[in-house]
Amino acid sequence: MKKYYLAVDIGASSGRHMLAHMEDGCLQLEEVYRFQNGMQEMDGALCWDFDRLFSEIKKGMIRCREVGKIPVSMAVDTWGVDFVLLDKKDRVLGQCVGYRDKRTKGMDKKVESVIPQERLYERTGIQKQVYNTIYQLQSVKEEHPEYLKAAESLLMTPDYFHFLLTGVKKMEYTIATTGQLVNVETKDWDFELIDLLGFPKKIFRSVSMPGTYAGNLSDDVKQEVGFDCKVVLPASHDTGSAVLAVPAKGEDVLYISSGTWSLMGVERKEPDCSMRSMKSCFTNEGGYDYRYRYLRNIMGLWMIQSVKKELAPDLSYEKICEAAAGEEIRSIVDCNDDSFLAPESMAKAVQDFCENTKQQIPKTLAEIAAVIYHSLAKCYADTLGFMEEITGKHYDTVYVVGGGSSADYLNKLTAGYTGRKVSAGPVEATAIGNVAVQMISDGVFEDLSEMRRCIRESFDIKLYVPDKIRD
């Protein structure tokens, strides 16, 4: 009898339920449900609708029952840094504000008045991003101190969904590290830092590692979805799961987890919290088995997603790639510029950047897309150079996983700009990494090395080289 494992992978723009099972020694993956996601303005703030998302999680589970494929376990992964505060009755305090909201403006200065940025990096290894949990909490402290006073628990986004599924509160390591409040030495919350900043220590539960059993479904959820199963903590930060699915052998692997964000980096056993690393904008996010994801955050396909939604919602990404490939424009924008974080018009933001830097201004959808794709590829090449300089190692292949691995034109440009081979795929890396942890926990695979071997043998991988492309 087949054993099924369910990954609920929720990104900033959509979510999906992916069922996995083994067949003839290969991992089989099947999408059974998909739903939309996105922030919405509520009372002047950009917020997530967590109630609706949890309803979608249960709808996808019901779909599993309807097709007769009941999972033995399930796990939820999401984006990083966002959280909820719960009171004594486990009610959410305030709105579920998202990381693109402007509430954190100026909060970095508030934090730095208490602890210098250099010292904060030494303690946490996390790159300063104005939307990090630490700055969001500072905003709550400044604007709604009553929420912190009433709070009994803080749960990161996937932790909250696991709690709604099981009634058990767990805080998973990889997602916790994204917030800039976990100590690289203890690999737990930095309670000295938390106390220094005036955040209530009681709301932070000790972190648990990927593979930890969270609990079975609560009675209410069992009754609604029609079955019971285990809930296992994955690497619940989506990038943490995606990196697990990189189909490489051995160590010293350079990857890009390509989606709404592009996370480019390597796996390391020790963090690099040096000032050189900080000034080069690298971060040390926690990974599976206490590995570190030493990477740089790059804006990613958020820019293309926004332009598509704005100018051509009915056009496929494949068609946009094809149109961009036919353009000659070579203007370059800084993908990490704050102007691209949450503009009212992404197309205008790209045009304004080009005008302000005295470059050719793109006018059509194809030209704007070409500028974005070239800019991303150049950013990848620049990051590769920094990475090799800091690590002292040479990487002959760039492994691209996630949704962006299907962007053929971008992969060609990445090979061209970096002068390296590009291995593209698997597309559903995050879901694969999610179920990988579940399957290792269940004894299907002995360890991550065995799991990655199976991934290489189970999924189509496309290889690009600077002067030609072959499958």
Side-chain angles (χ1 to χ4, degrees), residues 393-408:
K393 296 177 180 179
H394 174 81
Y395 304 95
D396 63 4
T397 302
V398 177
Y399 289 86
V400 182
V401 297
S405 67
S406 63
D408 183 70

Side-chain angles (χ1 to χ4, degrees), residues 321-388:
C321 268
E322 290 177 0
E327 296 297 330
E328 297 297 325
I329 188 169
R330 292 296 179 264
S331 300
I332 297 291
V333 302
D334 178 1
C335 298
N336 286 331
D337 190 86
D338 288 345
S339 62
F340 303 123
L341 185 61
E344 293 184 8
S345 167
M346 184 64 74
K348 188 174 187 305
V350 171
Q351 291 169 332
D352 287 349
F353 191 99
C354 291
E355 181 178 11
N356 293 337
T357 53
K358 295 180 172 54
Q359 300 181 81
Q360 182 181 346
I361 301 171
K363 297 179 180 178
T364 66
L365 168 66
E367 288 183 339
I368 293 169
V371 169
I372 293 172
Y373 284 130
H374 277 271
S375 299
L376 283 172
K378 184 181 185 303
C379 190
Y380 297 159
D382 292 343
T383 302
L384 171 63
F386 281 121
M387 184 69 73
E388 290 187 333

Side-chain angles (χ1 to χ4, degrees), residues 31-49:
E31 180 182 304
V32 293
Y33 189 72
R34 181 176 285 264
F35 54 94
Q36 294 300 307
N37 189 25
M39 298 180 208
Q40 297 178 345
E41 186 169 328
M42 298 176 61
D43 298 326
L46 286 175
C47 301
W48 302 107
D49 188 345

Side-chain angles (χ1 to χ4, degrees), residues 239-306:
T239 308
S241 279
V243 169
L244 294 178
V246 173
K249 300 178 182 178
E251 305 293 331
D252 299 332
V253 175
L254 182 78
Y255 60 80
I256 301 175
S257 176
S258 180
T260 300
W261 291 89
S262 290
L263 295 308
M264 186 172 184
V266 297
E267 283 186 307
R268 303 182 72 167
K269 293 182 179 178
E270 299 294 335
D272 182 346
C273 299
S274 67
M275 290 303 96
R276 181 187 184 193
S277 176
M278 186 192 82
K279 291 177 181 178
S280 298
C281 298
F282 283 96
T283 196
N284 299 268
E285 294 179 351
Y288 180 79
D289 195 26
Y290 291 118
R291 299 163 185 248
Y292 286 93
R293 290 175 283 120
Y294 186 63
L295 56 84
R296 177 182 277 182
N297 289 279
I298 301 169
M299 190 68 74
L301 294 176
W302 158 250
M303 298 175 73
I304 287 291
Q305 292 166 355
S306 298

Side-chain angles (χ1 to χ4, degrees), residues 26 67 86 89 94 104 139 153 171 176 180 187 287 330 366 402 457:
C26 289
V67 299
L86 303 180
K89 295 184 179 180
T104 55
S139 173
S153 305
M171 303 192 77
Q180 210 173 357
K187 298 178 176 60
R330 292 296 179 264
E457 296 173 354

Side-chain angles (χ1 to χ4, degrees), residues 7 37 50 77 80 82 84 90 116 119 239 264 291 297 303 341 346 418 421 425 454 459 466:
N37 189 25
F50 281 172
D77 66 76
D82 287 342
V84 296
D90 293 328
R119 182 62 180 144
T239 308
M264 186 172 184
R291 299 163 185 248
N297 289 279
M303 298 175 73
L341 185 61
M346 184 64 74
T418 63
K421 293 178 289 185
C454 180
F459 298 96

